[in-house]
Amino acid sequence: MGVVESSVAAGVGHIVLDRPEALNSLNGEMIRLITEALESWREDDDVDTVLVTSAVHGAFCAGADVRVVHEFVQRGDTSAGLQFLAEEHALNAIVADYPKPYVSVIDAAALGGGLGISVNGSVCVVTENAVLSVPETAIGLVLGVGSSYFLSRLPGSIGKFIGLTGARVSGADAVALGLATHFVAASDARELIESIRSGKPLADVLDRYSKPVPELSLDATDIDFAFSAPSVIEMVGRLDTDSPWSCLAMSQLLTLSPMSLVATNALIALGSGSTLKECFVRELRFVEWMIGQPDFAEGVRAVLIDKDRTPQWNPLVLEMVQPAAFQHFF
C-alpha cells in the first residue's frame, strides 16, 4: 500500500492511512491524497458515506509531520512550511464541513492533526485502545486543526487542561466529554468497519456496536479549580498543593514552552466565542508565526530529533513571556 489508499464500494468511500514508519504522521502527500479523495466524492452519487481508518498497529494518526515544517524552516524556506500548514488546515476545514457522513474509527493514538481528521468529522468512533491528545505545547507550537474550538466547548475547564498540558484522553473519556461520538469495544472494531464498508445503514451499525460509556475518569473538580484561572501563572499557583494530581499537573506545565502555554491559553479563551472557521483562521495565523520563533526549532529538536527531552525555551519561564508580542493575532 501507499501512504494513503482510497477505494469505493457499496456506497462507502474508504480512506486507509498507512505510513507505519511515522505512525501515520501527515506529510504533504498524505494531505493531498486525502483532500483529493474527499473532493472527488463530494458530488459523487456513488458515495454516501466516508470512512477513515488506519492500517498501522498502535496508531491512528500521530498528527502533522512537523519535522517536515522544521526542515523547511531550517533551510530558510519558510514559505514551503507555511504552504504545508495551510494545506493541512484546508483539509481539516473540508472534514468539518463535509456534506456526507464522515466516520473515523480510532483504535489507537490520535494526536494533534490526527484529531483534525477525526474529531472535526460528523462521527468519531473510539475504543478502549484510543488515546487522544494535543501535544503542541511540548514542541513550541500552539493549537491548530480547530482545537481551540472543540476544546473550548468541553465541560468546565477540562479543555484548557487538555490543551495546555497535552494530557492523554482515553477513548471512554473522549466520548464522555464530547470529543468523540461513539464508544465501541476494540474486539468489535474490525467487524464494525466491515459492516460499514458493506453498505449497511450507518445508524444501525453504530447502534449495534456502541457500548455504554463509563463515568469520566478525570477529576473535574480539581481541574476546574486550577485551570479556570485566567492566566497560566495563576493556574500554576493554584496547583501549588500537596495532592499528587496537582504536583503532576504543575510539573507538566513547567516543562512546556512558556510562550506556547500563554498563547494556547489565549486561543482557547477566544475559541469559546468564535465559530469553527474563525478558529481555523486564527490558529493558522498563529502557527505560521510560531514556526519562526526559537521555541519551535528547540522543541522539535528536544522531542523528535535528539529526543533528550531537555528543551531550552526562550523565554525560559512564564514570568518572562510578553503577551504583547503576539497580541495583534487576537
Side-chain angles (χ1 to χ4, degrees), residues 45-308:
D45 292 337
D46 292 330
V47 176
D48 302 314
T49 301
V50 171
L51 173 66
V52 182
T53 63
S54 168
V56 178
H57 177 71
F60 173 76
C61 175
D65 194 341
V66 294
R67 283 176 292 193
V68 173
V69 181
H70 179 265
E71 290 170 5
F72 283 136
V73 174
Q74 293 299 101
R75 294 202 304 261
D77 192 0
T78 303
S79 61
L82 299 182
Q83 181 64 25
F84 174 90
L85 294 169
E87 290 173 358
E88 182 200 11
H89 278 71
L91 169 59
N92 299 150
I94 291 171
V95 170
D97 197 37
Y98 207 66
K100 300 176 180 181
Y102 177 104
V103 185
S104 55
V105 180
I106 304 176
D107 188 35
L111 313 178
L115 302 190
I117 59 170
S118 56
V119 172
N120 284 318
S122 52
V123 177
C124 180
V125 178
V126 293
T127 74
E128 69 271 21
N129 295 332
V131 176
L132 283 65
S133 176
V134 281
E136 280 80 358
T137 55
I139 56 170
L141 273 180
V142 291
L143 299 177
V145 305
S147 299
S148 65
Y149 179 84
F150 54 74
L151 289 180
S152 67
R153 283 157 175 78
L154 299 189
S157 298
I158 289 178
K160 281 197 173 184
F161 166 68
I162 295 170
L164 291 170
T165 66
R168 297 190 165 213
V169 180
S170 69
D173 280 351
V175 178
L177 291 170
L179 280 174
T181 59
H182 298 78
F183 184 71
V184 170
S187 58
D188 290 335
R190 177 49 53 187
E191 193 171 326
L192 172 136
I193 290 170
E194 293 306 320
S195 294
I196 295 174
R197 291 186 63 201
S198 70
K200 293 179 180 178
L202 179 59
D204 292 348
V205 174
L206 294 173
D207 285 344
R208 177 181 177 183
Y209 291 101
S210 293
K211 305 292 185 184
V213 181
E215 291 186 9
L216 186 68
S217 67
L218 296 172
D219 192 332
T221 302
D222 283 348
I223 289 173
D224 285 345
F225 171 71
F227 288 85
S228 61
S231 73
V232 183
I233 291 177
E234 291 172 275
M235 292 175 195
V236 172
R238 293 185 183 185
L239 289 167
D240 190 15
T241 70
D242 293 330
S243 80
W245 180 85
S246 291
C247 291
L248 177 61
M250 182 166 65
S251 65
Q252 288 175 322
L253 286 178
L254 295 179
T255 64
L256 304 171
S257 163
M259 180 74 80
S260 295
L261 289 171
V262 173
T264 294
N265 185 48
L267 279 170
I268 296 175
L270 286 166
S272 63
S274 302
T275 65
L276 178 57
K277 181 178 180 180
E278 289 169 338
C279 288
F280 276 137
V281 171
R282 186 184 298 122
E283 290 169 2
L284 179 58
R285 291 178 61 210
F286 209 101
V287 170
E288 289 176 345
W289 181 76
M290 288 291 288
I291 64 173
Q293 303 307 305
D295 275 9
F296 174 63
E298 179 62 7
V300 173
R301 180 206 65 76
V303 175
L304 300 176
I305 299 176
D306 296 339
K307 300 181 181 180
D308 57 25

